[in-house]
Amino acid sequence: DARVTQTPRDKVTEMGQEVTMRCQPILGHNTVFWYRQTMMQGLELLAYFRNRAPLDDSGMPKDRFSAEMPDATLATLKIQPSEPRDSAVYFCASGLGTGLEAFFGQGTRLTVV
Amino acid sequence: AQSVAQPEDQVNVAEGNPLTVKCTYSVSGNPYLFWYVQYPNRGLQFLLKYITGDNLVKGSYGFEAEFNKSQTSFHLKKPSALVSDSALYFCAVSLNSGNTPLVFGKGTRLSVIA
C-alpha cells in the first residue's frame, strides 16, 4: 500500500531551535508539496517541487524556512530558528502532477514553546 | 488566482439523512476540483475529483459531487449519512492546465448524529 511517510509524527522544541521534518513521497510521484495546517489559516501551501526542482516557495518565510529534495525519495523542510508561531501541523503530499490529486502523509505536529 | 469558499464551518446531520457540504470556487479558467476528508490526527484523504466530462462525479465511501459551472459550485453529497462520515471535509481547486497546485478551502466539519 503506497503512502507518503513523514517523520517525526510529533515534535516539541524550544524557541530558537532548529527543526527538520522529513518526507518520503510515493515511489514514482514527481511532484512534492509542503502544506501547513493551522486553525486560523487552514491549509497553506508552503512550497512544492517537480522532479526535485523547487517550483514555488513563495508561501514560506524565507528568512527561517528552507525546503529541499536531496533525492527523489526524500524531501525536507527545515525551520531555523523556530518560533512559537510556527506551531502547526506540517503535511507533505506527493502526486503525478502539479494540478492533479495529491496524496498526503499523516503530518508532523510541531509545537514550539 | 484561484480560490475556494466553503461557506459552512459546521454541518450537522442525522444518521441516515442525506448530507450536503457546500463548495464554491473562483478561477480564471477551467477548474480541476477535488474533495478530501480528514479524520482526527490523520492526513487528508482523497475522495473524488472533477476534471472533465460528466458533471456528477462519484467517489469513495458513497460520496458524490456535482460540478455546476454556472453557479461555480462543486457540492459534496451523500444520500445516507453514517456516523463514521463525521470528519473535516476540504474542497480544493486547481487550474486545468495542471500547472497550479491545489488551493484548499478552510474546511467544513461534518457531524453525523446517531
Side-chain angles (χ1 to χ4, degrees):
Chain A
D1 186 24
R3 62 182 67 187
V4 175
T5 303
Q6 289 186 248
T7 57
R9 287 294 309 276
D10 285 277
K11 176 73 176 178
V12 180
T13 191
E14 291 185 347
M15 181 173 62
Q17 296 297 304
E18 178 178 297
V19 174
T20 298
M21 291 169 269
R22 292 178 174 81
C23 168
Q24 180 176 0
I26 293 172
L27 189 64
H29 282 185
N30 66 350
T31 311
V32 174
F33 307 86
W34 284 103
Y35 284 89
R36 176 170 64 183
Q37 185 179 29
T38 61
M39 290 289 290
M40 294 298 295
Q41 300 297 327
L43 273 165
E44 303 171 277
L45 178 67
L46 297 176
Y48 68 101
F49 296 76
R50 184 188 296 150
N51 298 323
R52 295 178 54 203
L55 288 190
D56 187 354
D57 61 2
S58 59
M60 295 198 310
K62 297 290 191 309
D63 56 337
R64 299 185 300 108
F65 283 59
S66 62
E68 296 179 346
M69 278 202 75
D71 61 61
T73 65
L74 177 64
T76 62
L77 179 66
K78 188 175 296 185
I79 307 174
Q80 167 62 22
S82 57
E83 297 180 1
R85 60 181 166 149
D86 300 329
S87 297
V89 181
Y90 290 81
F91 287 106
C92 174
S94 70
L96 290 171
T98 310
L100 301 177
E101 65 267 36
F103 296 86
F104 281 73
Q106 296 206 53
T108 294
R109 181 177 299 277
L110 175 65
T111 304
V112 183
V113 298
Chain B
Q2 63 256 41
S3 65
V4 170
Q6 293 182 243
E8 301 154 318
D9 291 335
Q10 173 92 31
V11 170
N12 298 318
V13 64
E15 187 176 31
N17 282 3
L19 70 87
T20 299
V21 183
K22 295 179 181 177
C23 170
T24 58
Y25 65 90
S26 174
V27 296
S28 54
N30 292 318
Y32 287 175
L33 293 157
F34 306 82
W35 276 101
Y36 283 79
V37 60
Q38 185 180 29
Y39 298 101
N41 300 314
R42 304 292 298 274
L44 278 70
Q45 295 178 34
F46 169 74
L47 275 179
L48 52 79
K49 66 182 177 186
Y50 170 82
I51 301 294
T52 187
D54 194 347
N55 289 344
L56 184 64
V57 179
K58 294 188 184 297
S60 306
Y61 312 120
F63 284 94
E64 59 188 28
E66 186 165 13
F67 171 61
N68 187 318
K69 188 172 183 177
S70 63
Q71 297 185 5
T72 62
S73 67
F74 190 58
H75 301 331
L76 181 71
K77 300 183 180 186
K78 187 173 183 181
S80 179
L82 300 172
V83 172
S84 57
D85 292 330
S86 299
L88 189 57
Y89 289 81
F90 289 93
C91 183
V93 66
S94 70
L95 284 175
N96 74 351
S97 63
N99 290 322
T100 63
L102 272 62
V103 172
F104 287 85
K106 293 225 179 244
T108 298
R109 187 164 299 282
L110 173 67
S111 180
V112 181
I113 303 154

